Amino acid sequence: MAFAAFASSDAAVTKPPRRKSTIALVLLLPGILYMVLFFLTPLISLVITSFQAELPGGDIGDYVPGLQWQNYVESASEYLPHILRAFGYALVATVFALIISYPIAYFIGVKARRWPLLQSMMLTLVIAPFFISFLLRTLAWKQILSDESPVVQALKAVAILPADGHLTGTPFAVIFGLTYNFIPFMTLPLYTTLERLDTRFLEAGSDLYANPATTFLKITVPLSMPGIISGTLLTFIPAAGDYINASRDFLGSSKTAMLGNAIEANFLTLQNYPVAAALSIILMAVILVLVGVYVRRSGTEDLL
């Protein structure tokens, strides 16, 4: 009798979790359907397209389903310079964005705490570029860095730039554009982390006779590491796939074309859909590997 009562009470205890799990599943169902419809389905379609074969005797853009592994080999070999430029430019731009953004985020998040109005104004200035189109901002820098601009003329006048030199169409212009456009993506995660930084740790470092450089390297940087990891990921990933800054219509040229430009050309101009899809899969796979290694080496696996 006692055993039956214990069993019934145990069954009663296990019922609420089942109801909660059902409710949680119902609440998650719209998000799951959204991910399946707008992420998983296009990804599967992209993978299938990357293996398609050219239709014999067909027109440009006519392909049939197949298992053409050569699409990946040919794409990687033909567009290897584009791949190297994409990740090389993205890496350099990420480093520059970190160097520029960290002092800004540190001042807003730590030093400006005593002046809330100044803190709000500076944070607004960081966010302000989001209110202007990405294309318009890049186009504006194309005009600023053009050969006829006062900036270029001044650089030539002081012999920093040769008389026949150019800024647009060079790796400098592309990296500059990537750095400028993605600085907010670096600054905001850094600010979020540094704004929660307990300044008593910094005071303790001073009390223990640590100089400012040691305090920064031993206390501030380790405590802000989650923001550094988040900011670098939010900068590097879109920068590696960017095709606006490196386009010849903006800051780049044919010699600075990145992987995104190759994907755009094969998809829209050449209508070589298998190659465009294969390059997209290669880009995504390399980014996933690099991000996984980077996060694990930095000791912040919880960000994955």
Side-chain angles (χ1 to χ4, degrees), residues 198-210 215 219:
D198 192 345
T199 55
R200 290 178 296 180
F201 291 112
L202 307 182
E203 296 172 359
S206 300
D207 293 340
L208 294 174
Y209 304 102
T215 302
I219 300 176

Side-chain angles (χ1 to χ4, degrees), residues 3-14:
F3 177 77
F6 176 78
S8 62
S9 63
D10 183 66
V13 171
T14 57

Side-chain angles (χ1 to χ4, degrees), residues 143-265:
Q143 300 300 321
I144 295 173
L145 300 179
S146 64
D147 295 341
E148 300 80 14
S149 69
V151 174
V152 175
Q153 295 299 325
L155 292 176
K156 290 181 179 180
V158 296
I160 295 179
L161 193 67
D164 57 346
H166 308 278
L167 287 182
T168 55
T170 63
F172 169 82
V174 176
I175 294 173
F176 179 88
L178 292 173
T179 303
Y180 165 76
N181 281 303
F182 292 109
I183 276 180
F185 293 90
M186 180 71 74
T187 305
L188 293 178
L190 287 171
Y191 161 77
T192 303
T193 302
L194 291 170
E195 199 272 336
R196 298 195 302 265
L197 180 66
D198 192 345
T199 55
R200 290 178 296 180
F201 291 112
L202 307 182
E203 296 172 359
S206 300
D207 293 340
L208 294 174
Y209 304 102
N211 57 48
T214 303
T215 302
F216 176 77
L217 294 175
K218 298 294 185 179
I219 300 176
T220 306
V221 171
L223 291 178
S224 61
M225 189 57 67
I228 294 175
I229 301 300
S230 300
T232 51
L233 291 179
L234 288 175
T235 302
F236 178 81
I237 293 174
D242 182 79
Y243 65 94
I244 299 297
N245 291 277
S247 172
R248 66 181 65 186
D249 296 326
F250 290 91
L251 299 176
S253 64
S254 58
K255 297 181 180 180
T256 62
M258 297 167 58
L259 187 54
N261 303 106
I263 295 173
E264 177 196 21

